[in-house]
Amino acid sequence: MATKRQSAADIRSERGLISLKRASSLVDVDRKTILNWIEAGLLQGYKLNGSMWRVNAHEVLALVHPVIATDADGVA
């Protein structure tokens, strides 16, 4: 019985893991902001080979919420 062996890239893709650079561009923030979110516990970070960080793309997008603009009197 043959089994298909998955590459590390396939596994990362399945889990939706992306680099901090890609995550920061996805939500238009600085890379350091992504690290701050990891440190604050808002985002789960995964360290590869002791130095390369990865985060789940879906988790990053979940942190972004639409905001209804209001004027100075608090009226939308």
Side-chain angles (χ1 to χ4, degrees):
M1 174 181 242
T3 60
K4 182 181 176 189
R5 188 164 180 192
Q6 289 184 314
S7 70
D10 290 338
I11 293 168
R12 281 194 306 273
S13 177
E14 275 182 19
R15 293 186 181 172
L17 297 180
I18 58 175
S19 68
L20 297 188
K21 181 178 179 180
R22 189 164 191 175
S24 64
S25 67
L26 187 63
V27 291
D28 198 25
V29 298
D30 191 76
R31 182 182 174 276
K32 181 66 177 162
T33 300
I34 303 294
L35 284 171
N36 289 340
W37 289 348
I38 293 169
E39 288 178 13
L42 298 171
L43 187 61
Q44 178 68 49
Y46 303 90
K47 216 170 192 185
L48 306 175
N49 297 330
S51 63
M52 296 184 305
W53 281 97
R54 295 294 183 263
V55 294
N56 183 288
H58 302 291
E59 289 180 20
V60 173
L61 291 172
L63 290 174
V64 181
H65 302 284
V67 176
I68 298 172
T70 59
D71 63 13
D73 295 327
V75 179

